[in-house]
Amino acid sequence: MSHRLIRLEPESLTLSGLPIHVARNPAAPFPRAPFSLTHDLPSSFALAGYPVPLANSQSARFSLGVIMRRLISSGSPYEPKVGISRAVRVGNLIAVSGTAPLGSDGRTVGVGDAGTQARRCLEIIATALEQAGASLRHVVRTRTLLVRIEDWQAVAKVHGEFFGEIRPANTIMEVSRFIDPDWLVEFEADAVVDEEQNA
């Protein structure tokens, strides 16, 4: 299991034509890294096109949240081949890719059993969310993809075990097939983390 963090760490920027020194706070938690911006400023300046007055001081300090992109891997052999991540977190949003019922050995779990496969998919999603600093309770939407629509009740039962109290929005749909013909189900999930709430 591994993840990669991509940061934007400028050393300076320009605010209304004035050079601003940027000092990043290394102790700041993901996903936002506040920056301290200091500079002697005139009595007013423009920020995103809006005038900002400064009272009794020509020095101001700001906090700038820089959004970072965090990539989560589940170790699936398909991730490097296809060029995908199991999940991607940007700010407080997390998107989990279509997740198949693969075991730690890369082989299909529960061949012929849609319920068992559904459980494995959701376990992988739960682990990916944890790596992204979230949990199942942050999920706001799931998508259930089935190759046999008649399996929907068995799969929905497992979904209910994981999300019965969370109650995300959901769509159940039939697809013609997956990459591996042994896969009967895949799940996708989207999550939103409340920044004032611990994951």
Side-chain angles (χ1 to χ4, degrees):
M1 304 285 183
S2 64
H3 62 266
R4 188 159 48 121
L5 187 62
I6 301 174
R7 290 190 181 91
L8 174 63
E9 298 185 86
E11 295 182 357
S12 65
L13 53 84
T14 301
L15 184 65
S16 291
L18 296 172
I20 307 294
H21 176 70
V22 179
R24 191 175 73 85
N25 176 5
F30 179 84
R32 295 185 179 274
F35 289 77
S36 294
L37 304 171
T38 58
H39 190 81
D40 289 334
L41 298 172
S43 59
S44 69
F45 62 94
L47 180 62
Y50 294 93
V52 179
L54 299 178
N56 303 322
S57 174
Q58 290 186 327
S59 179
R61 183 175 293 271
F62 304 89
S63 179
L64 174 64
V66 174
I67 304 299
M68 295 180 291
R69 178 184 177 97
R70 185 174 182 181
L71 308 181
I72 307 299
S73 173
S74 65
S76 165
Y78 292 95
E79 291 171 20
K81 291 178 182 177
V82 181
I84 62 171
S85 296
R86 176 59 38 219
V88 176
R89 177 169 179 168
V90 178
N92 65 341
L93 304 178
I94 304 169
V96 184
S97 295
T99 301
L102 293 177
S104 57
D105 59 359
R107 298 187 179 190
T108 302
V109 171
V111 175
D113 186 334
T116 298
Q117 291 193 8
R119 186 177 306 281
R120 178 56 187 157
C121 293
L122 294 175
E123 289 170 351
I124 294 170
I125 288 173
T127 299
L129 289 170
E130 289 173 7
Q131 289 182 278
S135 68
L136 289 175
R137 75 173 184 272
H138 295 107
V139 172
V140 295
R141 170 175 280 281
T142 57
R143 297 172 189 83
T144 308
L145 292 77
L146 304 168
V147 293
R148 304 185 312 209
I149 198 65
E150 58 268 25
D151 288 331
W152 82 266
Q153 289 182 313
V155 170
K157 180 179 179 182
V158 176
H159 185 280
E161 293 175 13
F162 283 77
F163 293 106
E165 295 183 2
I166 302 165
R167 304 283 294 277
N170 172 261
T171 302
I172 298 175
M173 64 193 86
E174 185 179 40
V175 298
S176 60
R177 60 172 296 176
F178 294 118
I179 293 173
D180 189 321
D182 285 335
W183 300 348
L184 301 176
V185 59
E186 280 195 19
F187 281 99
E188 296 178 358
D190 299 319
V192 178
V193 180
D194 185 340
E195 293 178 356
E196 297 180 355
Q197 178 181 14
N198 292 329

